[in-house]
Amino acid sequence: MPKAPVIFWFRQDLRLADNPGLTAAVRAGAVLPVYILDDENAGKWRMGAASRWWLEQALARLNDSLGGTLSCFVGAADQLLPELVRQSGAGEVFWNRCYEPWRISRDKKLKQRLTEQGIKVHSYNASLLWEPWEILKKDGTPYQVFTPYFRKGCLSVPPPKPLPPPAQAEFISGNLDALLCPRLEPLPVRPWHDKLAARWAVGEQQAGLALEDFLRDRLQGYKEGRDYLADDHVSRLSPHLHFGEISPRQVWQGALRAGLEAGCEADLDHFLSELAWREFSHYLLYYFPQLPEHCFNAKFEDFPWQRDAMAFDAWKWGETGYPLVDAGMRELWETGTMHNRARMITASFLVKNQLVDWRMGQEWFWDCLVDADLASNSFGWQWVAGSGADAVPYFRIFNPVTQGKKFDPDGRYVRRYIPELRRLPDRYLHAPWEASTEVLAEAGVRLGRDYPQPVVNLQTSREKALAAFHSLKRS
Ligand SMILES: Cc1cc2nc3c(=O)[nH]c(=O)nc-3n(C[C@H](O)[C@H](O)[C@H](O)COP(=O)(O)OP(=O)(O)OC[C@H]3O[C@@H](n4cnc5c(N)ncnc54)[C@H](O)[C@@H]3O)c2cc1C
């Protein structure tokens, strides 16, 4: 009698190399690879538009690597997977673990259901360098501050070496046509995702090339260069990491090798610590599953946020009148990503100068970012808002003018995304309202017509924010 096939369920691990669950499945028999887009269980956290664009490309590339055997489905995975097991006659199911609260609760139920049906379920770690339960304080409780988490906790547990792609794999497509769904769902407006296609190369192979490229050209000088907005002195690996086209272990080991060879220890250390911020955000999401919806520091729930639709719209579309904020927001819309420093500045502006609830900004990022990640996005917003774990103190309010002068001194970033200001002299580029009528006229800028007047005053909005924060302290 032929051996029953096994199912490998791809999730946030759309790759063949360093995929422990896939390697184990291949050892167990012929593998039926499946992917399920589960909006039903995701609920509010169903993938946003930019992520859906990425996913569709990533699945197409993965399917090529699997010889066209990947079956994709749309629906509740806890309903679909048992049905796929039944149809295919599979005796075992393999997957790699995910850490979003909705996935954890769904996977627990699913595992129980399959086990009750006599199906063996195996799960592995493919997405993190350290799983949350591996790093705890001496008293057994989770860390809430990054530096001891990383330096005392993580660095004492070397991450495992990455695995090669599974050898002698047999992938089969099975007989699952009844449930097969050829397209995931209609994609967002065409011109928008054409821009994303022009910007990004998706898939495991491309992720490997992006890593090589970064290690060769930009790891050296990363520590300083990562803050400069126009230079792109960063890896741009976040969407590849989010979708699991490359693993954090591959990135960690690659960086370690390249950094030690090049003798750029300070850059290496900084880059590894950024990977560890990604780990820390997953860690916090695991221990504090309310992170995406509720302030980590509960007192911020009483903050007098303003639900100002006009202010929010001006921010969303890069029309605040503050060039650095607007350039960041337009970068997001143009490319599906935003430089980390611009994320901090734009988020701070929304939450602190416009007093808009961080959750509104988080949702916009969720829809527009190709690397939208429940852990890193929620953590990033709460960090900026001051409500998070190990967050920036509330009184630290990024000033977009001084940040611009420091991190975009020659204005290349602003000019790239705000062409209407291109001809303004550097001196006024980050504060066009300071330019005289003659200077503006010469640059072809009519404030309030070609480019907006500032929507808020930096000084008074800062004072208002601090007063709101102090009222909170007293309550
Ligand atoms: C408001 C806000 C929202 C954010 N939302 C997301 C998000 O949805 N998804 C996301 O992946 N990152 C998010 N970040 C973190 C960070 O901005 C991005 O990870 C980074 O800009 C990605 O660019 P890169 O790959 O070139 O990073 P690099 O500088 O090359 O860093 C390497 C990797 O380290 C990780 N990393 C770097 N910085 C951080 C950080 N601050 N927090 C967590 N991980 C980090 C990323 O996986 C990144 O790919 C957010 C930050 C803020 C302030």
Side-chain angles (χ1 to χ4, degrees):
M1 210 170 101
K3 212 174 159 218
V6 303
I7 288 184
F8 180 72
W9 178 17
F10 279 101
R11 293 129 59 95
Q12 303 285 94
D13 49 3
L14 306 182
R15 64 177 183 271
L16 303 193
D18 196 30
N19 189 326
L22 183 65
T23 300
V26 164
R27 287 203 188 112
V31 178
L32 250 161
V34 304
Y35 181 87
I36 302 170
L37 178 67
D38 186 352
D39 287 338
E40 276 182 46
N41 280 295
K44 178 173 183 217
W45 298 115
R46 66 199 290 276
M47 262 181 226
S51 301
R52 291 173 117 77
W53 171 81
W54 189 288
L55 176 68
E56 191 167 325
Q57 316 301 308
L59 291 177
R61 298 294 90 74
L62 181 65
N63 190 32
D64 293 342
S65 313
L66 294 167
T69 56
L70 181 68
S71 301
C72 298
F73 305 91
V74 178
D78 47 340
Q79 308 294 322
L80 275 168
L81 205 61
E83 179 55 21
L84 296 178
V85 167
R86 195 190 59 73
Q87 280 198 16
S88 63
E92 297 181 61
V93 176
F94 294 76
W95 69 64
N96 292 308
R97 288 185 280 278
C98 294
Y99 305 86
E100 289 86 353
W102 67 268
R103 283 199 166 106
I104 292 178
S105 81
R106 177 200 61 188
D107 293 352
K108 271 190 189 154
K109 278 190 261 158
L110 184 54
K111 187 168 183 177
Q112 191 184 348
R113 193 164 158 196
L114 289 170
T115 311
E116 280 165 9
Q117 287 174 17
I119 307 299
K120 285 193 198 145
V121 176
H122 312 270
S123 67
Y124 301 83
N125 168 24
S127 305
L128 294 179
L129 294 160
W130 304 279
E131 286 194 289
W133 46 91
E134 292 170 354
I135 309 292
L136 291 168
K137 290 194 284 188
K138 281 203 180 113
D139 65 2
T141 59
Y143 287 97
Q144 298 189 22
V145 179
F146 175 75
T147 302
Y149 161 80
F150 180 48
R151 304 275 165 204
K152 274 201 202 155
C154 301
L155 288 183
S156 61
V157 186
K161 296 251 165 22
L163 300 168
Q168 291 160 354
E170 187 189 348
F171 296 114
I172 53 171
S173 55
N175 239 344
L176 306 176
D177 291 355
L179 292 175
L180 196 72
C181 176
R183 288 292 297 263
L184 292 178
E185 77 164 27
L187 284 163
V189 266
R190 184 98 215 151
W192 183 57
H193 67 82
D194 280 350
K195 287 183 183 174
L196 300 186
R199 169 70 179 72
W200 294 100
V202 179
E204 180 173 9
Q205 202 188 356
Q206 298 298 336
L209 292 174
L211 174 64
E212 273 176 34
D213 193 50
F214 168 70
L215 296 180
R216 192 188 52 239
D217 299 337
R218 301 192 298 284
L219 178 60
Q220 273 182 288
Y222 174 81
K223 187 169 187 250
E224 295 288 316
R226 65 184 287 274
D227 274 325
Y228 287 86
L229 288 145
D231 290 343
D232 219 17
H233 213 103
V234 286
S235 72
R236 295 293 192 202
L237 282 170
S238 52
H240 299 293
L241 278 164
H242 171 76
F243 284 95
E245 295 171 353
I246 198 163
S247 77
R249 289 188 287 244
Q250 291 171 300
V251 179
W252 181 276
Q253 290 297 338
L256 214 51
R257 202 182 47 244
L260 294 178
E261 261 170 38
C264 55
E265 276 83 2
D267 296 315
L268 172 65
D269 187 66
H270 207 98
F271 182 69
L272 297 182
S273 78
E274 292 305 328
L275 288 176
W277 278 102
R278 174 180 178 274
E279 298 283 316
F280 190 50
S281 64
H282 284 78
Y283 180 83
L284 288 174
L285 181 62
Y286 179 80
Y287 285 111
F288 305 97
Q290 65 281 18
L291 198 69
E293 283 96 19
H294 297 290
C295 296
F296 181 88
N297 179 345
K299 88 172 177 193
F300 275 84
E301 289 300 346
D302 296 328
F303 195 90
W305 307 110
Q306 292 176 8
R307 291 208 149 250
D308 181 341
M310 273 180 43
F312 185 54
D313 268 2
W315 177 82
K316 259 174 38 179
W317 300 116
E319 297 282 342
T320 66
Y322 287 95
L324 195 59
V325 174
D326 294 341
M329 296 312 295
R330 294 189 201 182
E331 179 188 18
L332 175 62
W333 185 247
E334 290 289 312
T335 68
T337 188
M338 197 197 291
H339 191 284
N340 179 59
R341 181 149 292 275
R343 291 188 206 207
M344 296 192 294
I345 295 164
T346 54
S348 170
F349 188 83
L350 182 75
V351 173
K352 294 181 177 170
N353 296 100
Q354 296 184 294
L355 291 184
V356 172
D357 193 327
W358 61 268
R359 284 159 280 222
M360 288 174 72
Q362 173 206 29
E363 280 177 30
W364 181 245
F365 272 29
W366 182 255
D367 206 31
C368 298
L369 280 172
V370 287
D371 67 11
D373 181 275
L374 196 60
S376 299
N377 196 31
S378 311
F379 176 81
W381 275 95
Q382 293 227 38
W383 184 86
V384 174
S387 61
D390 203 3
V392 68
Y394 186 83
F395 54 79
R396 182 155 173 227
I397 299 179
F398 287 87
N399 179 318
V401 178
T402 46
Q403 290 281 313
K405 287 181 179 161
K406 195 162 172 199
F407 297 112
D408 186 30
D410 55 10
R412 274 183 295 136
Y413 181 71
V414 161
R415 289 194 175 91
R416 189 182 301 159
Y417 293 107
I418 312 190
E420 58 269 38
L421 297 183
R422 204 172 275 155
R423 288 166 52 211
L424 259 190
D426 288 356
R427 200 175 148 196
Y428 300 109
L429 195 63
H430 294 290
W433 59 90
E434 287 178 359
S436 65
T437 325
E438 294 74 39
V439 170
L440 286 169
E442 196 151 321
V445 180
R446 287 162 303 173
L447 279 187
R449 296 182 75 175
D450 306 307
Y451 183 72
Q453 295 278 5
V455 289
V456 289
N457 174 289
L458 285 183
Q459 184 59 29
T460 49
S461 61
R462 183 187 154 82
E463 283 159 13
K464 219 170 137 187
L466 292 178
F469 174 64
H470 289 305
S471 75
L472 204 62
K473 266 190 178 163
R474 282 197 297 274
S475 64

